[in-house]
Amino acid sequence: MDINTVNSLPYEDFVDVFGNVVEKCPLITAAVWSRRPFGNLADLEAAISEFIDALPESGKEGILRCHPDLAGRDLRGGTLTRESREEQAGAGLDALDAAEASRVAQLNDAYKRRFGFPFVICARMNDKGRILQQLSQRCLNEAAAERTRGIEEVKKICNLRLKGLVRADPPNKL
Amino acid sequence: MDINTVNSLPYEDFVDVFGNVVEKCPLITAAVWSRRPFGNLADLEAAISEFIDALPESGKEGILRCHPDLAGRDLRGGTLTRESREEQAGAGLDALDAAEASRVAQLNDAYKRRFGFPFVICARMNDKGRILQQLSQRCLNEAAAERTRGIEEVKKICNLRLKGLVRADPPNKL
């Protein structure tokens, strides 16, 4: 799909296509439809990013709380969104051994108790070893820093999901 | 469920229970979890209402765009949320005759073309005759007035969905 096609979509189709570029937050996609036409993919991404940045801190925490745990109950129960399932599987999180699974569960719980939102990381930019290391380290952060970091990761995830849906602009011809 | 139980819920359970009090907008529920403890049901409802009011106009339009058409493709296709299905059926919208169905489809399309978001009305506070009359009248409103009106209806729907989930405070004992 190219950007002209994107700009021609009625809001219902736009939300059908892009409603999960921020996990379980179709409100955001549905809101930025008001900003069309978009010049290119980066414009659409910027509109999403600006909408997120303008939310109160509770709203940013709300976005994070719409994300599933990594290797958590939604993965085990088969209730992940398609996008999350593919991303978690790609990082090897659906094939942890017993010791790894136990360690992740313990760290996820500690993280959520400390911050009141889940650990969010762009799984496609990491493998399971790196994810475990980050989870363990980020548990020690301050809440405000970690909220900021979580939202940065949400934007990385959004960037890759968008790129999977919209063709990048062709290079300029000479 | 009473308000003490509500206040004791981890965010995941809170979102599981209340995630759809604003249709397909779990972000809002997940955000107001930050505001607990709630003194009573009205406190929780007020927190949701304040979060909505603080959104930019595009965000309010985003909320409206997360709502299905009345008697529309989601009802016909069986893809309504449980709450919407019950509310639309309760108002008789799942049993329109051919002429009524055609009239609703025509008015829904006209409304969406004019405003860029769907007609939202609290179906449980109306029957199909009144809904058709309102749809036909509200098509003529100005966009800003209709956005405000749509959000008022969102809040009525939210109020009734909340009341179905949380026990009202018992009357004061003498």
Side-chain angles (χ1 to χ4, degrees):
Chain A
M1 188 180 295
D2 66 17
I3 200 70
N4 292 326
T5 308
V6 171
N7 287 327
S8 72
L9 294 176
Y11 75 82
E12 292 157 297
D13 297 332
F14 187 83
V15 174
D16 279 349
V17 174
F18 297 107
N20 210 48
V21 295
V22 180
E23 180 76 9
K24 292 187 182 168
C25 293
L27 187 164
I28 297 175
T29 302
V32 302
W33 185 81
S34 300
R35 299 273 302 272
R36 78 199 185 293
F38 305 101
N40 50 38
L41 178 58
D43 265 7
L44 170 54
E45 187 181 355
I48 292 170
S49 188
E50 284 165 24
F51 188 88
I52 293 172
D53 291 341
L55 288 173
E57 296 308 306
S58 67
K60 291 171 189 157
E61 292 179 354
I63 292 174
L64 297 174
R65 289 183 194 120
C66 288
H67 284 69
D69 284 356
L70 291 173
R73 66 179 183 182
D74 285 319
L75 186 147
R76 286 191 303 276
T79 52
L80 286 175
T81 62
R82 181 181 54 76
E83 294 88 341
S84 279
R85 189 175 64 244
E86 291 173 0
E87 290 159 2
Q88 293 204 27
L93 293 168
D94 60 344
L96 301 182
D97 64 33
E100 289 168 335
S102 166
R103 177 82 178 136
V104 169
Q106 188 183 30
L107 287 168
N108 273 337
D109 283 347
Y111 187 100
K112 288 187 286 186
R113 267 198 312 278
R114 180 169 169 86
F115 299 117
F117 49 78
F119 173 74
V120 176
I121 190 167
C122 180
R124 283 170 69 184
M125 296 173 75
N126 294 277
D127 59 20
K128 75 177 176 187
R130 173 88 181 149
I131 287 170
L132 259 161
Q133 180 204 21
Q134 284 286 304
L135 174 50
S136 158
Q137 277 183 7
R138 285 174 47 190
C139 272
L140 307 173
N141 278 351
E142 291 303 312
E146 197 50 29
R147 190 171 51 215
T148 302
R149 176 60 187 274
I151 291 295
E152 288 171 4
E153 297 293 322
V154 166
K155 292 179 181 177
K156 290 178 196 170
I157 296 166
C158 176
N159 171 274
L160 293 177
R161 290 184 181 181
L162 278 172
K163 283 181 177 163
L165 294 165
V166 182
R167 196 166 63 206
D169 295 328
N172 286 327
K173 292 192 181 130
L174 293 176
Chain B
M1 188 180 296
D2 65 18
I3 199 70
N4 292 325
T5 308
V6 171
N7 286 327
S8 72
L9 294 175
Y11 75 82
E12 291 157 298
D13 297 332
F14 186 84
V15 174
D16 278 350
V17 173
F18 297 106
N20 210 46
V21 295
V22 180
E23 180 77 8
K24 293 188 182 168
C25 294
L27 188 164
I28 297 175
T29 302
V32 302
W33 185 82
S34 301
R35 298 273 302 272
R36 79 199 184 293
F38 305 102
N40 50 38
L41 178 59
D43 265 6
L44 169 55
E45 187 181 356
I48 292 169
S49 188
E50 286 165 22
F51 187 89
I52 292 172
D53 291 341
L55 288 173
E57 296 308 305
S58 67
K60 291 170 188 157
E61 292 179 354
I63 292 173
L64 297 174
R65 289 183 195 122
C66 288
H67 285 69
D69 283 358
L70 292 172
R73 66 178 183 183
D74 285 318
L75 187 146
R76 287 191 303 277
T79 52
L80 286 175
T81 62
R82 181 181 54 76
E83 294 87 342
S84 280
R85 188 176 64 244
E86 291 173 1
E87 291 159 2
Q88 294 204 28
L93 294 169
D94 60 344
L96 300 182
D97 65 32
E100 290 168 334
S102 165
R103 176 83 177 132
V104 169
Q106 188 183 32
L107 287 169
N108 273 337
D109 283 347
Y111 188 100
K112 289 187 286 185
R113 266 199 312 278
R114 180 166 169 89
F115 299 117
F117 48 80
F119 173 73
V120 176
I121 190 167
C122 180
R124 284 170 68 184
M125 297 174 74
N126 293 278
D127 59 19
K128 76 178 177 188
R130 172 89 181 146
I131 288 170
L132 260 161
Q133 180 204 24
Q134 284 286 305
L135 173 51
S136 158
Q137 277 183 9
R138 285 173 47 189
C139 272
L140 307 173
N141 279 350
E142 291 304 310
E146 198 49 30
R147 191 171 49 215
T148 301
R149 176 61 187 274
I151 291 295
E152 288 170 4
E153 297 294 323
V154 167
K155 292 179 181 177
K156 291 178 196 169
I157 296 166
C158 176
N159 172 274
L160 293 177
R161 290 184 181 182
L162 278 173
K163 283 180 177 163
L165 294 166
V166 181
R167 198 166 61 206
D169 296 327
N172 286 328
K173 292 190 181 131
L174 294 175

